[in-house]
Amino acid sequence: MNKIVAKKILAQKIKLIEVFAPAVAHKALAGQFVILRVDDKGERIPLTLVDWDPSKGTITLILLEVGASTEKLGQFEVGDAVADICGPLGIPSEIKPYGLVCVVGGGVGTASALPIVKAMRQAGNRVVSIIAAKSVDMLILEDEMEKAADELFIATDDGTKGQECFACDMVKILLEKGYKFDVVYAIGPTIMMQTVAETTRPAGIKTIVSLNPIMVDGMGMCGACRVSVGGKTKFACVDGPEFDAHQVDFLELRKRQAAFLKEEKLAMLRLQEMGRRGHP
Ligand SMILES: Cc1cc2nc3c(=O)[nH]c(=O)nc-3n(C[C@H](O)[C@H](O)[C@H](O)COP(=O)(O)OP(=O)(O)OC[C@H]3O[C@@H](n4cnc5c(N)ncnc54)[C@H](O)[C@@H]3O)c2cc1C
Ligand code: FES
């Protein structure tokens, strides 16, 4: 069992939790994730390590409530405990001196982008951060990004904050202004990562995305997280989750992400039904 020691609501349906998990906190690196089970009957859900504090033995996770497991976790309060946490998992981000680095975070993907921004800056890079959301009330970690990055640009779909555009348009605007990025990181909804990849492709800018296929074991054995990269089969949990964006088969990824929509809807209906009855 891993106890929740702090909780914050960042935006509608987006929550931050700090969880006691000393073994994970001691080994975590930017780009890695954990797989947790909310309760002992729960499914295994991957969540990115946003922050970690080895001295306190805690890790910070940020979740967007999209279905039964994340809704349940979102209802947990300080003092409640999740059944188990496995990690850190995945290959850490390749942090090295590149020069000018652009890190794009879309929606809850901004949570995964933050540790990369911090690590890239620590490695001596100049870091430009773009955070994007549908609207100002869905924008997260603005203050933290402002502090962590050298420059911050904000994009909202509806223009309620920053530039009224998508994340990929913001990248395009900066490229047209003359920013010469040595590497671009894009983390967020699959469509956002794909459009950023298409924006940087013509200029041949190295672009890395953090893929979010359905995962089960997180150990490279079940095959659930299979993705195609450069025509080769990769398992995102052990070969990734970060890959060369220009090599990823995004169409296949989107199809596989939607493979269990019927079951996910049923799980959500069951959870709502339980809530109405007040017991399982
Ligand atoms: C490496 C990685 C890191 C992630 N980091 C974060 C994060 O930091 N914050 C965050 O809010 N979300 C993150 N996700 C996505 C998160 O795991 C899913 O939103 C969650 O599992 C959904 O479960 P659910 O029961 O609430 O929703 P469901 O109704 O079961 O599913 C909703 C959608 O979430 C996706 N999904 C469902 N089950 C899984 C699963 N086992 N693995 C991956 N995706 C799934 C599917 O696309 C599905 O259509 C990450 C995913 C991966 C692969
Ligand atoms: S989650 Fe099972 S192989 Fe990656």
Side-chain angles (χ1 to χ4, degrees), residues 43-46 48 62-64 66-67 69-70 213 215 257 264:
E43 63 175 345
R44 297 163 63 81
I45 58 166
T48 304
I62 293 180
L63 57 123
L64 170 66
V66 290
S69 300
T70 46
M215 290 187 180
Q257 280 171 328
E264 288 156 2

Side-chain angles (χ1 to χ4, degrees), residues 1-7 17-22 24 34-45 47 59 61 63 69-86:
M1 301 286 276
N2 300 80
K3 225 178 216 182
I4 296 177
V5 298
K7 179 181 176 179
I17 51 171
E18 203 181 324
V19 191
F20 188 66
V24 183
V34 293
I35 289 192
L36 66 78
R37 285 188 317 145
V38 176
D39 53 43
D40 57 8
K41 290 196 179 65
E43 63 175 345
R44 297 163 63 81
I45 58 166
L47 294 173
I59 58 171
L61 308 171
L63 57 123
S69 300
T70 46
E71 283 261 346
K72 248 197 241 176
L73 184 57
Q75 287 164 17
F76 276 38
E77 297 298 342
V78 172
D80 291 336
V82 298
D84 45 57
I85 295 184
C86 169

